[in-house]
Amino acid sequence: MTEQEARRMRRARFEGLAHLVVEPLHRYLLRRTGADMVEDVLSETMLVLWRRLDDVPGLVTGADPDPGDVLPWCYGVARGCLANARRADGRRLRLVERLIRSQEEAPAAAADHSELHAALGALGALDREVVRLWAWEGLAPRQIAEATGLTSNAVSIRLHRAKTRLADRLRRKDAGPTGHKKDEGRSSQ
């Protein structure tokens, strides 16, 4: 038997099985879950049946399958697929709840730093990245230079100018630099 004939026979076996079990499985799932989930679970069930076609009891090549032999096993597959779908929905719901809780908490935290975010937003993209790498990642100018492709001297100059502009925007002209020691803004080459 050629590979193409074997595929045709496998497909014919599956189509015979599908013709026999689709309606009973659809009814089975309708009684156990909402209509919005039935089609997805039925599709997943049919996919599992296709993959495990050789494991279906009572499915013999060339003969019509007996529903009494085939359906109980197919119901078990549908039951497992439904359980998987419910677990996935539960995970999605928990994730959505966590995201909602974090969104409720985030505005309060973001409100504390809104001036800072606005001041950072007023900087150019490269200056903003240099400041973030320095302040948030704790990198020295030579390390920032390596990350951005600039020279250490260019990073030091950009960092100094960006910190000055941030201080002006935040109305902290008289305050000293925050976050790092004074000598950290200079290159150590």
Side-chain angles (χ1 to χ4, degrees), residues 160-186:
H160 173 73
R161 290 178 181 167
K163 288 184 342 187
T164 303
R165 280 182 289 200
L166 283 173
D168 289 344
R169 290 273 298 181
L170 295 173
R171 295 175 196 90
R172 293 185 184 173
K173 292 179 186 175
D174 298 330
T178 58
H180 290 283
K181 299 173 193 166
K182 287 187 177 193
D183 62 343
E184 280 187 331
R186 297 203 175 126

Side-chain angles (χ1 to χ4, degrees), residues 12-99:
R13 285 176 59 209
F14 178 74
E15 287 173 353
L17 176 66
H19 181 70
L20 181 70
V21 300
V22 165
E23 287 303 316
L25 289 176
H26 191 267
R27 287 191 305 268
Y28 171 86
L29 292 169
L30 273 173
R31 287 188 289 271
R32 283 159 180 77
T33 189
D36 58 329
M37 191 183 272
V38 169
E39 296 300 321
D40 290 337
V41 175
L42 183 59
S43 297
E44 185 64 29
T45 302
M46 297 309 291
L47 181 62
V48 171
L49 291 177
W50 169 257
R51 287 186 194 141
R52 299 196 55 201
L53 191 61
D54 295 333
D55 298 335
V56 178
L59 191 60
V60 182
T61 304
D64 288 334
D66 179 23
D69 293 337
V70 172
L71 273 173
W73 194 83
C74 294
Y75 286 140
V77 171
R79 185 173 178 266
C81 290
L82 181 59
N84 289 342
R86 286 181 175 155
R87 280 192 298 274
D89 272 355
R91 285 190 300 269
R92 274 191 293 276
L93 287 174
R94 287 190 300 276
L95 176 61
V96 167
E97 289 170 0
R98 265 195 336 246
L99 289 172

Side-chain angles (χ1 to χ4, degrees), residues 104-137:
E104 290 171 354
E105 296 167 2
D112 295 340
H113 304 291
S114 60
E115 288 182 28
L116 174 61
H117 289 290
L120 278 170
L123 295 176
L126 187 56
D127 289 343
R128 189 170 43 248
E129 181 65 11
V130 166
V131 169
R132 286 178 176 163
L133 288 170
W134 172 76
W136 294 345
E137 307 306 327

